[in-house]
Amino acid sequence: MPEDPERFGGAAPPPDYDDDGVLPARRSPPGEIARAFENLRAFPDLSAKERARCVHLDARGNRIASVPRGLLSSLASLERVTITGNALTAFPDDLAACARLTEMYAGANRVADVAIAFAVPNLAHLGVGETASHTTPFAWCTSFLKDFPRRHSSPALPFQRLTGETFD
């Protein structure tokens, strides 16, 4: 227990402390699978429970070279995936089957063709900065990219002062 339990408003430890009340627990938020910066060369096996509840898969900063076919699409609740800073050379060809995926962060990889990501039905944000994709001609999707923000972004709100008045 902490030295002065009353300092926290009662005898029970605050929720971010371990059961013994001494060390802060390092827990991922519910639905997040955090495997960042673990020096992984491949995606770890996920239990059935992890697959069922995964909303955010964070595997950034590893040395992962490929995403196993069927892994992301098997995560029925997946809304966000962060695979930035790995050694990926391609996205999985079943990426479009990730129906709930809205955000994908995959920069600083070696992906040469990001076209498969544009087939994800609800994708609102695709971060692929500093990938090898800048060497791929994007002329075929110029019109799609120009229209993408209008179709996939929420409407902009007017700038407001803290008083609630809008600027014109």
Side-chain angles (χ1 to χ4, degrees), residues 61-85:
N62 287 295
R63 296 188 289 170
I64 299 170
S66 66
V67 179
R69 178 170 174 60
L71 172 69
L72 297 181
S73 60
S74 73
L75 306 174
S77 300
L78 186 66
E79 296 176 3
R80 180 175 52 194
V81 63
T82 307
I83 49 179
T84 303

Side-chain angles (χ1 to χ4, degrees), residues 1-25 27:
M1 293 290 297
E3 291 179 9
D4 183 9
E6 295 304 316
R7 187 171 117 203
F8 294 104
D16 60 340
Y17 274 75
D18 283 337
D19 292 336
D20 61 359
V22 177
L23 299 173
R27 295 184 190 104

Side-chain angles (χ1 to χ4, degrees), residues 2-72:
E3 291 179 9
D4 183 9
E6 295 304 316
R7 187 171 117 203
F8 294 104
D16 60 340
Y17 274 75
D18 283 337
D19 292 336
D20 61 359
V22 177
L23 299 173
R26 187 180 185 278
R27 295 184 190 104
S28 297
E32 179 178 322
I33 297 176
R35 296 297 195 319
F37 304 104
E38 293 183 5
N39 205 25
L40 302 174
R41 291 180 180 263
F43 271 94
D45 291 328
L46 302 177
S47 69
K49 183 179 179 181
E50 287 176 315
R51 285 178 186 259
R53 67 181 189 102
C54 181
V55 175
H56 177 205
L57 176 61
D58 184 358
R60 63 193 150 122
N62 287 295
R63 296 188 289 170
I64 299 170
S66 66
V67 179
R69 178 170 174 60
L71 172 69
L72 297 181

Side-chain angles (χ1 to χ4, degrees), residues 82-115:
T82 307
I83 49 179
T84 303
N86 280 286
L88 295 174
T89 56
F91 295 143
D93 57 357
D94 63 337
L95 186 62
C98 299
R100 295 189 66 187
L101 187 64
T102 59
E103 298 175 52
M104 182 171 173
Y105 302 92
N109 280 293
R110 300 177 189 151
V111 178
D113 186 6
V114 298

